[in-house]
Amino acid sequence: MNWLLGMSLAFAKPEIVDWPVPFAQERKALTVAYLKEHSLSHPLSGELEKDVRMTPRVIVLHWTGGGSASSAWHTFASPTLHGRKDISSGGALNVGAHFIVDRKGKIFRIAEENLIMRHCIGLNHISIGIENVGSAKKELTPQQVDANIALIEDLAKRYPITHLIGHSEYRSFEGHPYFSEKNPKYRTIKPDPGAQFLEQVRAGLSIPIKAAPKGAASDAE
């Protein structure tokens, strides 16, 4: 399917399959520990169920780097991080996301949208992560473009979403009120989900959502 021909699909409510990763007490406690170490702005009340919740304002698009939705799900399922030297200094909480979109455009919700998941430095406390099955060597598909458009529009109707970014753009938020990271050295360089994919998704949206801020200080809300 040509992604331009599929844009009309974006106006229909997307079909979402629930496939939750475990979010039991250990993961909740690790999430709060991560927030204590990293977040300057997320309030912590001492009530575990409340402290792992957020009001999402940003949607961050990713690619999984792997070959299937199942492999991504199993990577995220553990509460503790394994084999990620690039971010292991940031704490024991495992990486995660809220959605996985497979190569055919099937959407899986793996965490409730207002749960805090570790997927984007500085924005975890305020963002929804969408993982697309693919990589730099396995570019994302037209079906994934359509699915992302539909999902983003649905999320923007249900939550006060102001920005849509690719993971590659997250550092442009430094200096913006949304960005909250205590450690100035805790940063990564990310290429996902690819410039072409981002361009296609943004072009297909029928609702206004801001891109990554160019001048963060002047873009404050």
Side-chain angles (χ1 to χ4, degrees), residues 127-138:
S127 66
I128 292 172
I130 302 174
E131 290 277 356
N132 292 275
V133 177
S135 66
K137 295 182 179 180
K138 195 172 185 179

Side-chain angles (χ1 to χ4, degrees), residues 56-59 126 128 152 155-156 159-164 208-209:
R57 305 279 285 178
V58 180
I59 296 172
I126 204 167
I128 292 172
I152 291 162
L155 292 170
Y159 298 98
I161 302 298
T162 61
H163 289 76
L164 167 68
I209 302 178

Side-chain angles (χ1 to χ4, degrees), residues 70-192:
S70 179
S71 64
W73 189 95
H74 284 93
T75 296
F76 300 147
S78 170
T80 54
L81 185 68
H82 299 282
R84 289 292 304 273
K85 293 182 179 179
D86 56 331
I87 59 170
S88 60
S89 64
L93 175 66
N94 195 16
V95 293
H98 299 84
F99 295 92
I100 299 172
V101 181
D102 74 7
R103 305 286 295 170
K104 295 181 179 179
K106 189 171 185 178
I107 302 169
F108 299 96
R109 176 166 40 210
I110 64 169
E112 295 174 43
E113 292 98 333
N114 67 348
L115 283 173
I116 294 172
M117 303 295 282
R118 182 182 180 181
H119 67 100
C120 186
I121 292 170
L123 296 172
N124 291 310
H125 66 295
I126 204 167
S127 66
I128 292 172
I130 302 174
E131 290 277 356
N132 292 275
V133 177
S135 66
K137 295 182 179 180
K138 195 172 185 179
E139 67 180 39
L140 304 181
T141 67
Q143 292 91 335
Q144 287 172 305
V145 172
D146 289 334
N148 276 255
I149 292 168
L151 178 55
I152 291 162
E153 294 207 348
D154 178 62
L155 292 170
K157 291 174 183 175
R158 296 189 284 117
Y159 298 98
I161 302 298
T162 61
H163 289 76
L164 167 68
I165 67 168
H167 198 187
S168 58
E169 300 175 317
Y170 84 94
R171 293 197 63 175
S172 67
F173 266 98
E174 294 190 62
H176 189 283
Y178 285 179
F179 194 84
S180 184
E181 173 53 57
K182 291 180 180 179
N183 184 351
K185 295 184 179 179
Y186 182 53
R187 303 289 189 271
T188 54
I189 297 172
K190 296 291 182 180
D192 55 317

